[in-house]
Amino acid sequence: MPDGKRILITGAGSGFGRSASLRLAERGHHVIAATENRPQMTGLIAEAKERGVELQVENLDVTNELHRRHAHTWDIDILFNNAAIGEMGPLSEMPLDLIRKVFEVNVFGNLALTQGFARQMAERGSGRIVWLSSIAGLTTNPYLAPYCASKYAIESIAQALHDELKPLGVQVATINPGPYQTGFNDRMGNSLRTWFDPGSSFSAERFTTDLGVDVHLTDDYGELTGENQKDPEEIVELFVRLAEDDSGLYRNFLPADRIDETKKQQAAVWDLRR
């Protein structure tokens, strides 16, 4: 294994970020595992201690300017922009405040954090920024519009940063996961309970999403199923490869068996009829 790198992973309180932080720390890297809130820190610190790994756990809400300012004092080689939230439901009925929150976290918060580290890396002439995009950044799915739109924005931001920063010695890449069983998709579906009223909805009573979560909405808000979601282990290993391999592709899409289908979905938009 190459010499240990200094790695910051945001959104490390759960899912890909949590598992990847522990895995990379076990491999000898200095990992700063940043969680959105302090309660998330407790469990992560305990698990790192149980596994016998050194892990720097920090509270970093990417939408908080004071948190970002403190984070920019850290000297890192690699930034994983993994922090994200999502909202599910019919776009024509969803409260705008929820949509704005998705963009504040996924787009503006992550970009503000990235800008400070981009300067640090450019001045040094080396560094790597990895954006956690999604299959939802390449194809738009009904009832997932806020999440998809935020990931489409990330796709554009990451590509522009790639072209702008490469001459300065800074690498930029994306990870585009399909549906994986991390709990994220299920939490996104459960968020419907805060605002959606099936009795007064004019647009739909059933949401079936390409993220592998079916939401069956009844008077008591039904249930979530995630049997189509995959084991996240291959994404965790992808974090490791992107941290340790200094070469490779800009876009990193998994699972591989969804690539052709995704390309067909992209092409089909050209012939989509009103």
Side-chain angles (χ1 to χ4, degrees), residues 7 15 22 32 40 89 134 140 143 148 172 175 187 198 206 224 242 247 262 272:
I7 302 169
L22 291 162
I32 304 173
Q40 289 177 326
S134 172
T140 301
Y143 312 117
C148 292
V172 177
I175 296 176
R187 289 191 296 273
R206 175 187 171 88
L224 291 167
L242 286 171
S247 63
T262 300
L272 188 65

Side-chain angles (χ1 to χ4, degrees), residues 26-162:
E26 287 174 335
R27 294 177 64 83
H29 298 286
H30 181 92
V31 179
I32 304 173
T35 70
E36 178 193 5
N37 55 59
R38 293 185 180 276
Q40 289 177 326
M41 297 173 66
T42 304
L44 187 51
I45 291 170
E47 186 171 358
K49 184 176 180 180
E50 181 180 334
R51 291 168 65 159
V53 297
E54 292 187 16
L55 189 65
Q56 180 179 342
V57 181
E58 300 277 356
N59 179 205
L60 171 55
D61 176 350
V62 297
T63 68
N64 186 309
E65 183 179 357
L66 291 177
H67 286 196
R68 294 195 305 264
R69 193 180 304 164
H70 176 62
H72 288 149
T73 65
W74 303 330
D75 185 17
I76 65 170
D77 300 306
I78 302 171
L79 168 64
F80 281 95
N81 282 320
N82 176 69
I85 63 171
E87 292 289 344
M88 180 186 294
L91 186 62
S92 54
E93 300 185 64
M94 185 178 293
L96 284 178
D97 284 348
L98 295 180
I99 299 171
R100 287 192 181 99
K101 180 64 175 177
V102 171
F103 273 77
E104 285 297 332
V105 176
N106 297 1
V107 181
F108 299 117
N110 282 318
L111 179 56
L113 184 69
T114 296
Q115 286 179 328
F117 286 116
R119 174 177 292 274
Q120 177 192 121
M121 292 175 181
E123 290 175 350
R124 188 175 64 231
S126 66
R128 189 170 308 147
I129 300 166
V130 182
W131 288 82
L132 264 290
S133 182
S134 172
I135 187 175
L138 304 174
T139 60
T140 301
N141 301 286
Y143 312 117
L144 277 177
Y147 183 68
C148 292
S150 73
K151 294 299 185 177
Y152 266 74
I154 284 172
E155 286 291 317
S156 182
I157 288 168
Q159 186 173 342
L161 288 174
H162 172 274

Side-chain angles (χ1 to χ4, degrees), residues 90 93 143 196 198-199 201-208 215-218:
E93 300 185 64
Y143 312 117
F196 187 78
S201 171
F202 69 86
S203 60
E205 293 182 354
R206 175 187 171 88
F207 306 133
T208 303
V215 186
H216 305 283
L217 291 168
T218 63

